[in-house]
Amino acid sequence: MRHLDPTILVVVLGAAALSFAQPHMPGWVVYLLQIAIAASLPALGCMILLRSGLLSFGQGLYYFIGAYGVALVHAHLGISDAFLGILAGAAASILVAGLVGFFIARYRGIFFAMLTLAISMVVYGMAVKMDLFGRSDGLNVPRLSYLGFTPSRAWAQTSLFVFCVWVWAVFGIATHLYLRSRFGKLLTAIEDNETRVEYLGWSVRHAVHINTIVAAVLGSAGGALAAASARYADPSLAYWTTSGEFVFIVLIAGQANVLAPLFGSVFLETLRTYAAAFFPDEWQLVLGAVMLAIILFLPKGLGHLFALAGRALRPRRATAAPIEEDRT
Amino acid sequence: MNLALIILVDGISYAGWLFLVGIGLTLVFGVLRLVNIAHGGFYAIGAYVAAYAIGAAASYGLGAGPQLLLAFAGAVVVGGLIGFLVERTVLVRLYDHPEVLVLFATYALFLILEDVTKLVWGGASLYAFQPRNAFGTVAIGSLSYPVYDVATVVIAVLVALGTWFVLNRTRTGRCVTAVVHDREMSAAMGVNVSAIMTGTFVVGSMLGALAGAVTAPKIAVSPGIGVEVIVLAFAVVVIGGLGSIGGAVVGALVVGLARAFATHLFPDLAVFAVYAVMAVVLAIRPYGLFARPVARKI
Amino acid sequence: MTTATHRRPLAGLCAACVAAAPLLAAPAMAADSVKIGFVYFLSGAGAAYGSHARDAAALMVDALNAGEVPAPYDTVGINGVEIEPIYIDEAGGVRKQIAEYRRLVEREGVDMVLGYTSSSNCNAIAPIVEELETLTNFFHCGNPGLFEEVEPDPHYTFRSAPMGTMDQVALARYIADVYPDTKTVSGVNQDYSWGQDNWAEFTAAMDALDTGATFKNALFPSLGAGDYGSEISALASDPADITFVSFWGGDADALMLQSAARGLGDSTRFAFTLGTGVIDGLGNNVIEGTIVGARGPNSYLAKETALSSWFADAYQETYDRYPPLGAYVAAQGILAIKAAAEKAADGTGALPETDAIIAALEGLTYETVNGYPISMALHHGHQGISDTVYGTYTGWDDEANAPVIEDVKTYDAKCVNPPEGVKALDWIESGFEGASC
Amino acid sequence: MTRSRPAAPVLECRGVAKSFGGFAAANAIDLAVSEGEVVGVIGSNGAGKTTLLNIVSGHLKPTKGKVFFRGEDVTGVPSRTLARKGIARSFQVPQLFPTLSALENMMLALSLVAAPRKSILSRFDDADLATAARDALDHYGIADCADSLVSELPQGVRKLLDIAMATSAEPDLVLLDEPTSGVSSEEKSDVMQRLADRFAATGTTVVFIEHDMDIVRRYASRVVALTDGSVIADGPPEEVFAHATVADVIVGEPLPEGDA
């Protein structure tokens, strides 16, 4: 109450700045940012699961659900509303994660990773078979409308970009509040000592279950944005490499703050696009080499660079801003 | 020939291959606690080296047997060398870090190895099928199977027995088992943990390359062959229990039989079968069929 | 990369740097060249196929720029304007492909894009093509759904490659013509949309032709499965007269190899819709008696003309091998654009406006490197059709060092492609209403 | 929340037994603890003391028998539910959150077990919560260590913090597993005195396991002696210590190593 939370301030100002900057950005950059924003949400889901020490290799499942939320609401109800699409995906992912959570909430470590991977691969295996999901060819997504407002073709990209940015802002701020709440601290405490958490009157399993659902909703929101941006949804969204990418985004950027996955995601998309442009035959090699370099030389992620820079600046600012509640 | 027998034979034949593909992965996990995604890269390198060696040997007029020996030896040597380099230059710096970092390091290595094989051998397919065809076929029931495929199962059994023998009947093997059990304690007891870890990774890489070499004569060796293998190998060792040799045998049999069963009776579900079995096994036995659960501390 | 020589690892890397160099500079619009983005699979399983396509594209670009291609393509470049190629890898998933496409158009400022093999990439890119208003020719994906459902009203989107439907229908007709005693048919197809659709079209075509054939095994191994032991056992223990296969790339080679080793050729006759690709890799190890197609009348099924002979010779000379079918379709994609642009230019010496090229391309019939002209006859002139050819591989001619393909049958384009305005599968199920054979 | 019914004892175990495989860790234990009692549980290693505590605190389900808390059957009820009903527990090895500071540990305890459930989404980083946590630490005299990371704290402070967290919701029944183990002998009586003062002030019922017989003698109002999973003596300290077997087997035994 005393101070405005710096993270919230940065998110709101950043979203506003990006919204106004959009008309001055080339289309391919806009698309790249949209895809990065979309991918950062399931990565944020990975991050909040990692707060409890849980590594999910199945966030792609919710990316898939979110994307198909938009695609199927259009294909079967004829509605192309962005908000409704997001809500449909979120509702479906709450349902799925609610069920899946009963199975996975008792798993830890590599077994949590394996089971989430297996479940999402089962869904992938089904989706490539089912006409409902367009099989491996996927489904196309139309230009979206926003609560009855249908932007003209010239404004479609701007509208979608602004929508993506502010959806991220809402989910980013919500997640920030979630993580700085007592429940957020409880999640961190689970990795530290499950026994003590249980003796403090809270069920670790329920907490993990709830957190799984929250992460699922984040994943599905990202999926909806990805489908709206690419105007396409296909089963590869649930493939294990997609899920792996989300974890990697968190590794790149660290877990200090909800903004970290966004930076990680933008970095990864930029890296991929330049690697593909400069080395059409060897872009995977370049991508792999940079990944490896980050892991070897910045094991705490690129976010650690910010932390190091911040530490270097701190002595000069005697009256520092309120302490960040999220610890690295 | 009745269907059950056909499914059994197909399942076992496929299981032999799956075991060869999975054994290196499970060995490395057991000792290094590391899910090695680069395993698929070693598989591909093994296949390429073998295809190249078979071509080279054939051009010198060597027969099918020497061609294969040269191919397997070449793949194992190259795989081992690259494994050694990778462990010494990359992995060794990461053992203090969280497991997931090492996992992604191996993923990065996989991407690099993929493109390196493409740079060395180009995008077009290589072929090395002559030695497989040279051995002819054998009839099992009413169907004929290549002798080479039967031999693959034999190689898988030999590798399984060999691994078992080394781990259980030799001094080195006992050191490895000790490291698996408790790394710190083994170090305290004078086991050279670092050497054991390097050695295991090298052996794991060799086994991955060997699996590729054994497969090379059955396929068109082309880009991307390592990707599918990762997921399959993964499923096999997870079902059996990560780090358990016996588990890899059982996992290979379960997946092999499931696939053969699905192909013959529910061909639409063949792809899906592997992941479904994996999910069901994990949901019932989180640690896989064979690995012991780690005791939870209080 | 502009010199079409053998690609060596390091040479490739350097060439990549050189090709990328203009990217570092501000994207300049050079009026004295036509910038074309070429998108082929350069990594992953598709590379076994895409690498040939890129080789052919590089060869064609060099030859066109040098004015070495025979008539009717003997002008330099495209209507006298040199082609400046940019190569892009099609691997990496649809969201990456859209990013790459946007970068090609919005950053590199390409005049047109040629490429895309995967039907999911074509489906995903098509709406973006119309949005970015850049002429794009899908050189090879073959799913009828592209114009039937995804982009029913195309303007900038073209597909010079005939649909896959043609392969299935022609094969069914070929079986009815050449192997009329066929009583039973099985199928092995990769487990994704392409394989599933091909099997559906083929079985529908067999039914529509009243062949009386019944269907046995319909197997769907995963892409890149590598081992087909169970599938071969299933096929061998209950053999059908004909076994339909729509595999491509390394999977097709592996299935053929493993089937040959187990003598499956004795109990069933294979029909590979992309069979010439298997011959490319395996030569005389292909099972004799296998029915082969080439995604159109390409490769060994091409007709000898001055243009087709030039292409086969030039490819052989540059890459030391007979051109695989991927090479043919890549070359075709470029010729479609060249023919349209030169028609639109009508004698003037510059690159016409995009809309003029589009107008010329709609409904255009142009000569191709396989000797069979392609007509942009369907979907308001945006979808190509051509005659097609099937044959039966009967052995290897050591003297000519070439496969012997007998019982070669040619089917008229209008006999194996649906008429305008009718969906492919509906057309087959209607008993080929309106087909002229 | 739970209305006290004076008729029923705070804790009652009826025939509680637990076996692991073939080994009987607890054998038909009967025990009733009344409001305000401070019960010391003694016994040699493996006598079943911690098993008893694990059963009462809901960590283990008894093989046989029943546990009642204020007359309510709580057999097999999980520890988290018991914690909310008013049974708190500390551990032989302190169960803390090692990556957090002592203050944050306490804040977390307060926000989890002591605060109403609906406040879980309110801000953790809150001045009032921090003040309350500081006060709670102060009750046990460890407020000075508030800002140190748990991993940097001496063992005695850790034990106190463990107990402070367990008791943050002012429970009706406190179970302490060897509150002074690992604490240096100089600190021991200091730690026990703080605890005794604190529990006397709140009138809390306490059951504690202890190896140091001097401490038991000084602070327990009643002593229960276990051998081989059974109660062999139960009564005022002097009476129990006079019991022949207790004197021979338990008191005569030197303190286990590492406990000093």
Side-chain angles (χ1 to χ4, degrees):
Chain A
M1 301 302 115
R2 300 152 297 167
H3 304 276
L4 201 53
D5 189 305
T7 301
I8 297 176
L9 198 66
V10 168
V11 170
V12 172
L13 291 180
L18 279 172
S19 305
F20 286 111
Q22 192 278 338
H24 308 290
M25 291 191 271
W28 67 279
V29 174
V30 172
Y31 173 79
L32 217 60
L33 282 178
Q34 281 175 203
I35 287 294
I37 287 171
S40 74
L41 285 170
L44 189 55
C46 282
M47 187 181 111
I48 67 172
L49 287 170
L50 271 170
R51 285 290 164 105
S52 308
L54 297 172
L55 179 65
S56 167
F57 254 97
Q59 272 297 92
L61 171 60
Y62 304 106
Y63 207 47
F64 169 95
I65 292 175
Y68 273 99
V70 175
L72 291 176
V73 162
H74 173 255
H76 292 279
L77 304 177
I79 300 169
S80 56
D81 188 89
F83 291 90
L84 206 77
I86 282 204
L87 283 181
S93 61
I94 287 172
L95 197 73
V96 172
L99 287 173
V100 165
F102 286 110
F103 289 99
I104 64 169
R106 62 202 165 98
Y107 289 71
R108 297 293 177 270
I110 193 81
F111 305 104
F112 186 88
M114 296 289 152
L115 193 61
T116 49
L117 180 139
I119 292 170
S120 107
M121 287 303 284
V122 165
V123 171
Y124 169 79
M126 285 190 328
V128 296
K129 286 270 167 201
M130 290 169 69
D131 282 324
L132 176 68
F133 301 108
R135 294 176 290 150
S136 66
D137 270 356
L139 295 179
N140 287 80
V141 172
R143 273 198 205 92
L144 298 182
S145 60
Y146 307 88
L147 298 177
F149 162 71
T150 311
S152 68
R153 201 172 141 165
W155 282 99
Q157 199 182 24
T158 304
S159 318
L160 182 58
F161 181 76
V162 170
F163 179 73
C164 288
V165 164
W166 287 98
V167 164
W168 196 96
V170 168
F171 279 95
I173 290 172
T175 310
H176 178 67
L177 295 178
Y178 174 77
L179 285 180
R180 75 170 199 190
S181 76
R182 298 171 183 194
F183 191 75
K185 207 66 180 179
L186 163 64
L187 294 174
T188 318
I190 287 174
E191 192 187 6
D192 264 5
N193 192 334
E194 294 192 16
T195 307
R196 176 45 87 194
V197 170
E198 287 276 332
Y199 276 95
L200 288 176
W202 284 79
S203 161
V204 169
R205 224 203 251 195
H206 292 171
V208 169
H209 197 152
I210 291 167
N211 202 28
T212 306
I213 295 174
V214 174
V217 170
L218 287 170
S220 77
L225 299 187
S229 302
R231 299 183 51 198
Y232 188 72
D234 74 322
S236 76
L237 293 155
Y239 200 64
W240 68 276
T241 48
T242 312
S243 301
E245 222 161 73
F246 301 143
V247 182
F248 183 65
I249 287 172
V250 181
L251 289 189
I252 291 177
Q255 308 174 41
N257 187 282
V258 291
L259 283 161
L262 187 60
F263 286 119
S265 187
V266 171
F267 176 84
L268 182 63
E269 288 301 331
T270 312
L271 172 65
R272 193 185 354 234
T273 215
Y274 277 94
F278 290 145
F279 306 99
D281 282 275
E282 296 87 12
W283 62 275
Q284 294 201 74
L285 191 154
V286 174
L287 196 63
V290 176
M291 277 171 80
L292 201 57
I294 290 174
I295 291 168
L296 283 176
F297 302 114
L298 281 171
K300 287 180 183 165
L302 293 176
H304 192 55
L305 283 183
F306 289 96
L308 289 176
R311 211 168 292 162
L313 291 174
R314 195 153 296 164
R316 265 173 273 169
R317 286 187 295 158
T319 47
I323 308 152
E324 272 294 310
E325 66 284 352
D326 297 330
R327 305 164 65 93
T328 318
Chain B
M1 183 170 171
N2 82 36
L3 186 60
L5 186 61
I6 298 179
I7 291 176
L8 191 69
V9 174
D10 285 345
I12 289 174
S13 158
Y14 192 51
W17 179 76
L18 285 172
F19 175 79
L20 284 176
V21 165
I23 173 75
L25 192 68
T26 208
L27 199 66
V28 167
F29 181 86
V31 179
L32 282 76
R33 300 274 120 191
L34 151 66
V35 179
N36 179 22
I37 294 180
H39 195 67
F42 287 106
Y43 170 89
I45 285 178
Y48 271 103
V49 170
Y52 177 81
I54 288 172
S59 70
Y60 283 104
L62 296 177
Q67 284 178 19
L68 286 176
L69 278 182
L70 206 65
F72 295 172
V76 166
V77 168
V78 173
L81 275 176
I82 298 176
F84 180 77
L85 278 177
V86 161
E87 206 274 347
R88 287 283 93 193
T89 57
V90 177
L91 299 184
V92 79
R93 298 159 184 265
L94 294 172
Y95 289 135
D96 302 337
H97 296 302
E99 285 165 6
V100 60
L101 273 184
V102 198
L103 189 147
F104 274 88
T106 65
Y107 182 62
L109 284 167
F110 172 71
L111 291 178
I112 294 172
L113 290 180
E114 272 259 304
D115 270 2
V116 167
T117 48
K118 205 176 65 186
L119 283 172
V120 176
W121 284 287
S125 306
L126 297 191
Y127 301 91
F129 46 82
Q130 294 84 356
R132 177 167 180 260
N133 293 351
F135 287 107
T137 56
V138 60
I140 302 176
S142 60
L143 297 180
S144 73
Y145 289 83
V147 172
Y148 185 88
D149 291 10
V150 179
T152 305
V153 177
V154 175
I155 292 175
V157 171
L158 289 178
V159 167
L161 290 177
T163 319
W164 181 86
F165 181 83
V166 170
L167 286 180
N168 293 285
R169 288 285 182 275
T170 64
R171 223 186 86 80
T172 319
R174 275 191 292 272
C175 291
V176 173
T177 322
V179 173
V180 171
H181 204 72
D182 191 330
R183 215 178 274 177
E184 285 76 28
M185 185 81 90
S186 316
M189 282 161 58
V191 176
N192 186 344
V193 173
S194 144
I196 294 279
M197 287 168 74
T198 310
T200 307
F201 192 82
V202 169
V203 170
S205 311
M206 288 172 159
L207 288 169
L210 177 67
V214 168
T215 317
K218 299 171 76 166
I219 59 169
V221 180
S222 32
I225 54 172
V227 185
E228 279 299 313
V229 162
I230 296 171
V231 192
L232 272 177
F234 221 49
V236 165
V237 301
V238 167
I239 287 171
L242 275 165
S244 152
I245 306 297
V249 175
V250 173
L253 282 170
V254 168
V255 174
L257 289 170
R259 162 138 188 241
F261 183 79
T263 301
H264 284 279
L265 295 172
F266 307 98
D268 264 348
L269 300 180
V271 176
F272 175 71
V274 175
Y275 305 121
V277 168
M278 180 171 159
V280 168
V281 167
L282 281 178
I284 298 167
R285 285 191 58 104
Y287 306 99
L289 294 171
F290 270 74
R292 270 166 291 124
V294 187
R296 284 272 287 278
K297 61 181 173 150
I298 177 166
Chain C
M1 211 165 294
T2 42
T3 52
T5 50
H6 261 291
R7 284 201 320 107
R8 283 195 192 81
L10 284 173
L13 198 69
C14 296
C17 301
V18 173
L23 222 152
L24 291 162
M29 289 292 292
D32 54 348
S33 73
V34 47
K35 220 174 187 184
I36 303 182
F38 291 100
V39 190
Y40 305 121
F41 276 110
L42 304 179
S43 53
Y49 183 88
S51 56
H52 304 311
R54 196 255 303 271
D55 284 351
L59 169 74
M60 288 303 289
V61 168
D62 283 353
L64 285 172
N65 285 345
E68 288 168 356
V69 183
Y73 300 111
D74 47 0
T75 51
V76 168
I78 291 180
N79 199 36
V81 184
E82 277 210 0
I83 301 169
E84 184 190 338
I86 298 177
Y87 295 99
I88 294 286
D89 186 359
E90 195 183 332
V94 286
R95 277 157 296 283
K96 169 178 174 284
Q97 281 323 306
I98 295 170
E100 297 294 286
Y101 183 85
R102 282 188 171 274
R103 187 173 59 75
L104 275 177
V105 173
E106 294 176 323
R107 183 184 164 114
E108 310 290 341
V110 296
D111 298 291
M112 53 194 75
V113 179
L114 298 179
Y116 302 105
T117 305
S118 145
S119 54
S120 56
N121 284 339
C122 287
N123 283 1
I125 299 282
I128 315 294
V129 171
E130 298 298 324
E131 191 178 312
L132 298 189
E133 306 184 338
T134 300
L135 174 58
T136 298
N137 183 10
F138 293 135
F139 87 114
H140 196 46
C141 54
N143 57 323
L146 175 65
F147 289 125
E148 288 175 359
E149 282 146 29
V150 174
E151 197 54 71
D153 188 22
H155 183 68
Y156 295 94
T157 316
F158 285 86
R159 179 158 62 181
S160 60
M163 295 183 291
T165 310
M166 179 174 90
D167 301 337
Q168 276 69 257
V169 173
L171 178 57
R173 289 192 180 279
Y174 183 81
I175 290 170
D177 290 343
V178 180
Y179 303 101
D181 298 336
T182 301
K183 297 275 178 298
T184 52
V185 178
S186 287
V188 194
N189 298 285
Q190 287 149 319
D191 197 15
Y192 74 127
S193 294
W194 172 254
Q196 295 154 1
D197 288 345
N198 282 356
W199 177 242
E201 285 179 343
F202 176 70
T203 51
M206 290 295 283
D207 284 342
L209 287 171
D210 278 327
T211 54
T214 56
F215 304 106
K216 286 187 161 176
N217 283 302
L219 304 171
F220 292 98
S222 67
L223 274 170
D227 182 294
Y228 301 100
S230 307
E231 284 78 8
I232 293 167
S233 290
L235 294 171
S237 55
D238 183 18
D241 297 335
I242 300 255
T243 300
F244 171 87
V245 183
S246 65
F247 278 33
W248 51 265
D251 286 4
D253 299 341
L255 178 65
M256 175 59 82
L257 271 180
Q258 294 173 26
S259 304
R262 290 181 62 180
L264 191 54
D266 299 341
S267 48
T268 187
R269 181 185 297 280
F270 272 117
F272 276 68
T273 54
L274 281 80
T276 61
V278 184
I279 297 176
D280 284 330
L282 304 183
N284 58 359
N285 285 273
V286 172
I287 297 171
E288 288 177 13
T290 298
I291 302 168
V292 292
R295 268 303 271 117
N298 298 311
S299 192
Y300 304 112
L301 303 174
K303 188 198 286 179
E304 211 171 295
T305 63
L307 181 60
S308 75
S309 304
W310 168 83
F311 179 70
D313 293 345
Y315 197 94
Q316 180 86 42
E317 202 176 298
T318 316
Y319 302 110
D320 199 23
R321 64 180 298 168
Y322 191 77
L325 60 97
Y328 278 89
V329 277
Q332 260 154 231
I334 302 171
L335 295 182
I337 300 292
K338 180 174 164 72
E342 289 175 2
K343 183 183 166 202
D346 197 25
T348 56
L351 191 69
E353 292 296 311
T354 299
D355 275 337
I357 301 179
I358 287 172
L361 187 50
E362 285 175 350
L364 178 76
T365 298
Y366 64 98
E367 292 299 325
T368 72
V369 290
N370 63 28
Y372 293 88
I374 285 181
S375 294
M376 302 300 290
L378 300 183
H379 296 290
H380 318 292
H382 286 250
Q383 168 67 55
I385 61 171
S386 88
D387 299 353
T388 194
V389 179
Y390 269 94
T392 303
Y393 169 85
T394 55
W396 195 263
D397 181 345
D398 285 327
E399 220 160 279
N401 196 26
V404 182
I405 296 174
E406 291 176 352
D407 292 325
V408 175
K409 294 247 172 225
T410 306
Y411 293 91
D412 191 79
K414 291 207 156 69
C415 177
V416 290
N417 285 288
E420 176 76 322
V422 183
K423 286 188 177 184
L425 195 56
D426 294 347
W427 173 67
I428 298 173
E429 284 168 351
S430 75
F432 311 110
E433 226 167 80
S436 62
C437 296
Chain D
M1 268 176 280
T2 19
R3 187 169 304 155
S4 53
R5 277 166 296 178
V10 175
L11 172 71
E12 192 181 358
C13 300
R14 284 189 208 149
V16 165
K18 179 74 188 178
S19 52
F20 300 101
F23 171 73
N27 239 333
I29 294 177
D30 288 305
L31 176 69
V33 180
S34 311
E35 190 88 48
E37 277 192 298
V38 177
V39 179
V41 179
I42 62 172
S44 33
N45 280 345
K49 305 183 299 291
T50 298
T51 303
L52 177 65
L53 225 60
N54 278 342
I55 290 172
V56 172
S57 68
H59 188 72
L60 291 176
K61 237 181 208 177
T63 323
K64 260 190 246 158
K66 295 233 172 269
V67 181
F68 296 88
F69 177 60
R70 294 198 180 283
E72 183 190 349
D73 185 354
V74 294
T75 321
V77 170
S79 48
R80 59 173 180 276
T81 313
L82 294 181
R84 296 199 162 267
K85 284 181 184 290
I87 302 182
R89 175 195 178 162
S90 79
F91 298 83
Q92 200 173 339
V93 178
Q95 296 291 312
L96 307 169
F97 303 120
T99 61
L100 304 181
S101 70
L103 183 70
E104 285 175 311
N105 265 273
M106 198 61 218
M107 284 165 76
L108 199 49
L110 284 173
S111 49
L112 294 185
V113 73
R117 268 177 180 263
K118 63 178 182 222
S119 70
I120 194 73
L121 284 178
S122 56
R123 197 175 171 145
F124 178 77
D125 183 19
D126 172 76
D128 295 341
L129 183 63
T131 311
R134 235 172 248 284
D135 288 348
L137 293 178
D138 197 38
H139 285 312
Y140 293 90
I142 51 174
D144 291 349
C145 308
D147 297 320
S148 311
L149 278 185
V150 160
S151 45
E152 298 159 358
L153 294 177
Q155 183 68 5
V157 179
R158 288 194 205 192
K159 295 292 280 196
L160 284 171
L161 179 58
D162 186 48
I163 295 165
M165 286 169 73
T167 58
S168 59
E170 303 196 346
D172 295 350
L173 171 63
V174 174
L175 310 165
L176 304 176
D177 196 349
E178 301 194 26
T180 67
S181 75
V183 179
S184 67
S185 39
E186 305 89 73
E187 282 182 297
K188 261 187 188 180
S189 50
D190 184 42
V191 165
M192 270 323 281
Q193 195 55 52
R194 283 173 205 266
L195 292 178
D197 293 348
R198 176 82 190 133
F199 294 135
T202 49
T204 311
T205 312
V206 180
V207 175
F208 72 103
I209 297 175
E210 186 52 70
H211 276 290
D212 188 328
M213 294 308 150
D214 289 338
I215 297 229
V216 178
R217 227 173 241 126
R218 186 138 31 114
Y219 295 102
S221 64
R222 180 178 147 201
V223 175
V224 174
L226 294 181
T227 300
D228 295 332
S230 302
V231 176
I232 53 161
D234 181 353
E238 57 279 10
E239 208 174 282
V240 172
F241 283 119
H243 189 284
T245 322
V246 173
D248 280 4
V249 177
I250 302 171
V251 181
E253 183 189 42
L255 290 179
E257 258 179 78
D259 267 13

